[in-house]
Amino acid sequence: MVETQEKLLKILSDVLWQKTPEHTYSSQEWETILPVAEDQGVLYLVLQGCTSIRQQFSAASWLKWRSKLISTMLNNETLMAAQSRIIGEMQAEIIPCAVLKGASLAVCYDNPSARALGDIDLLVPRQFVEQASDILVSQGYHAPQESFAHPYHIDFYKNGIVVELHYAVSTFPDSPTGAEAKRHMHAWQEQLRQKHIGNHTFPCLSDSHQALSLLLHMERHMTTGCIGLRQLCDWAVFLASVTPGFFADQLLPELQACGLAEFAGVLTQAAVCYLSLDPAYGMALENIRKRDVQAMMEEILRAGSIHNKNNTEESSSFFVDESGTKSSMRVFISKINSLARRKFPITKQLPFLLPIFWLYIPMRYWLRSLVGKRRRKSLLRTIAVTKRRKRLYRALKLFKSAQEK
């Protein structure tokens, strides 16, 4: 962990729990810290939380970062207003819905407005997807043809706003634990809770469903690309919104049945060790090894926000599966096949064409990197990171049943 990352973690620890910052930094130090915060998706949280930051900046630097702060504030309010309009019409049509991620997590922060929003994610039962889609279209949103290729949501667009209309929170593995996770999430609409940010009211998942939804989301992004500090902060403040006893007695057993208890445990201990989450949340996690927590933080700090997955210096996600046990070549072929089916639908009707894309897709990426359209990847770094990620994923035992462990 480099010094800049250590400073950022200290700042976040103070900001998350409303502590008075113990350290000040020079303008030059802030100029190294804030770009990392931006890559990690926590820039707005840092700028909002550090009330004394203005005095530590040169005037020119502050104007640059202040413009980013104002832009995020305006975007947050635009998204919240759009979300309220959509939810209002869905509720008028008696369509069950829940906000995923975004605002549903912002309410867990002491200052909800400090959590930058990205897209609007709404969950509706599958049988209401067409009706909900009609509402979005009536409000001026449109869904390009490629939006329907995603396995569990449809993307709608309008003036820079993206609405992900979910009919599931994620995909589920074909296993007993995957079936349990799917069964558990199936009852989400029976336990909705109304929450508020300012003048905006919206339905959210219960704590039990929120925990599972969060972990499913993080697991998917981690194993297909990367996760960052914003996701760890979200997990930390979510835990702080429930009691340590509820986490240990209610959530952990449910997550154990879904094969995600080790993942939750490692993330929780990472939040305790690096973000100063109350150690009481780690009391039930004595089996979590320190080296696995360190490896998880390395994974989080390695690439940053989930939106930076194409900007990393390596391509390890193409060689590691969620179990960390399959051969790299098998994983590579499987993921290239999946990408080819999504990007080139003809391969669904003519699967014998798939081997062509084993060469075509990597070659296309390589050529685009030569002309600057994609970031160049380091083969040696890819090999090294692939090995480390395999060790971590084996330790996380993702979707493993008690018998398989």
Side-chain angles (χ1 to χ4, degrees):
M1 187 181 301
V2 300
E3 184 180 0
T4 299
Q5 293 171 336
E6 292 177 349
K7 291 175 181 176
L8 176 58
L9 289 170
K10 175 58 180 170
I11 293 167
L12 289 173
S13 296
D14 292 337
V15 169
L16 287 176
W17 317 120
Q18 300 289 294
K19 299 177 183 176
T20 302
E22 298 177 1
H23 306 281
T24 60
Y25 302 99
S26 67
S27 180
Q28 291 75 18
E29 287 176 307
W30 278 115
E31 287 294 347
T32 63
I33 294 168
L34 294 183
V36 177
E38 188 171 26
D39 285 344
Q40 287 285 347
V42 293
L43 175 65
Y44 191 41
L45 186 61
V46 170
L47 290 175
Q48 282 279 76
C50 293
T51 55
S52 61
I53 193 173
R54 172 66 185 87
Q55 288 73 41
Q56 299 169 36
F57 262 109
S58 66
S61 292
W62 175 244
L63 285 175
K64 177 182 71 174
W65 294 107
R66 180 176 177 271
S67 68
K68 293 178 181 286
L69 180 65
I70 293 172
S71 176
T72 305
M73 291 170 64
L74 293 174
N75 184 63
N76 273 8
E77 186 51 42
T78 297
L79 289 175
M80 289 300 298
Q83 177 179 285
S84 290
R85 287 192 293 270
I86 296 167
I87 290 174
E89 195 161 343
M90 286 190 179
Q91 291 177 335
E93 295 292 326
I94 318 180
I95 299 175
C97 65
V99 174
L100 299 177
K101 301 175 286 184
S104 74
L105 294 169
V107 296
C108 298
Y109 286 79
D110 283 328
N111 179 7
S113 66
R115 203 279 192 183
L117 305 179
D119 306 331
I120 298 172
D121 294 86
L122 297 176
L123 177 64
V124 300
R126 187 179 291 270
Q127 65 268 29
F128 288 97
V129 168
E130 184 174 352
Q131 193 176 351
S133 298
D134 289 342
I135 288 174
L136 288 166
V137 171
S138 73
Q139 293 192 11
Y141 294 87
H142 72 282
Q145 187 60 41
E146 57 267 24
S147 295
F148 295 87
H150 197 278
Y152 56 88
H153 66 68
I154 306 168
D155 292 339
F156 288 83
Y157 301 86
K158 175 187 174 182
N159 299 332
I161 298 175
V162 180
V163 178
E164 292 185 359
L165 185 63
H166 288 249
Y167 42 89
V169 295
S170 184
T171 54
F172 300 91
D174 184 16
S175 66
T177 54
E180 176 59 24
K182 186 175 183 179
R183 184 202 65 77
H184 185 71
M185 283 304 308
H186 185 71
W188 66 266
Q189 65 195 72
E190 300 171 8
Q191 303 175 38
L192 292 177
R193 297 181 177 181
Q194 296 295 318
K195 297 195 176 180
H196 314 270
I197 294 179
N199 296 323
H200 303 285
T201 301
F202 46 91
C204 296
L205 299 174
S206 69
D207 292 334
S208 178
H209 290 118
Q210 180 78 295
L212 180 55
S213 174
L214 263 175
L215 291 169
L216 288 168
H217 173 69
M218 288 190 285
E219 181 276 331
R220 181 176 177 86
H221 278 288
M222 182 180 70
T223 55
T224 59
C226 55
I227 62 173
L229 279 176
R230 183 167 74 175
Q231 287 69 49
L232 184 62
C233 288
D234 285 346
W235 180 250
V237 296
F238 164 71
L239 286 183
S241 72
V242 303
T243 66
F246 181 80
F247 172 61
D249 300 334
Q250 180 74 26
L251 296 185
L252 276 180
E254 292 174 352
L255 296 173
Q256 183 71 51
C258 298
L260 292 169
E262 276 78 11
F263 187 33
V266 170
L267 286 171
T268 301
Q269 290 289 46
V272 170
C273 294
Y274 296 95
L275 293 179
S276 300
L277 175 68
D278 186 344
Y281 291 92
M283 293 296 289
L285 303 170
E286 295 179 355
N287 61 315
I288 300 299
R289 297 176 297 189
K290 185 176 181 180
R291 68 183 184 187
D292 296 334
V293 176
Q294 292 172 334
M296 187 74 246
M297 283 305 299
E298 181 180 279
E299 176 83 356
I300 289 170
L301 295 172
R302 176 179 57 85
S305 168
I306 58 178
H307 302 293
N308 291 340
K309 67 179 181 179
N310 291 324
N311 296 323
T312 59
E313 296 177 351
E314 38 75 26
S315 299
S316 59
S317 60
F318 272 91
F319 299 95
V320 186
D321 72 311
E322 64 189 22
S323 70
T325 58
K326 293 182 181 178
S327 73
S328 296
M329 186 53 64
R330 283 185 61 190
V331 175
F332 174 78
I333 291 174
S334 174
K335 293 194 175 184
I336 290 293
N337 286 347
S338 177
L339 183 60
R341 293 188 188 101
R342 189 169 71 252
K343 297 288 186 180
F344 307 96
I346 191 174
T347 56
K348 296 178 181 178
Q349 287 77 39
L350 305 173
F352 63 85
L353 294 177
L354 284 171
I356 296 174
F357 293 92
W358 302 349
L359 293 175
Y360 172 74
I361 290 177
M363 185 63 69
R364 183 182 66 165
Y365 190 99
W366 179 71
L367 291 173
R368 296 182 78 181
S369 68
L370 287 180
V371 298
K373 292 185 177 181
R374 284 284 187 267
R375 184 167 183 170
R376 295 192 184 187
K377 308 292 187 180
S378 165
L379 177 60
L380 291 178
R381 181 164 173 78
T382 296
I383 293 171
V385 174
T386 295
K387 290 180 179 179
R388 293 200 297 268
R389 295 183 81 186
K390 280 191 170 187
R391 287 195 294 269
L392 172 63
Y393 291 3
R394 286 196 293 270
L396 294 178
K397 301 180 178 67
L398 296 166
F399 298 111
K400 295 285 187 183
S401 65
Q403 291 74 24
E404 293 174 302
K405 296 172 186 178

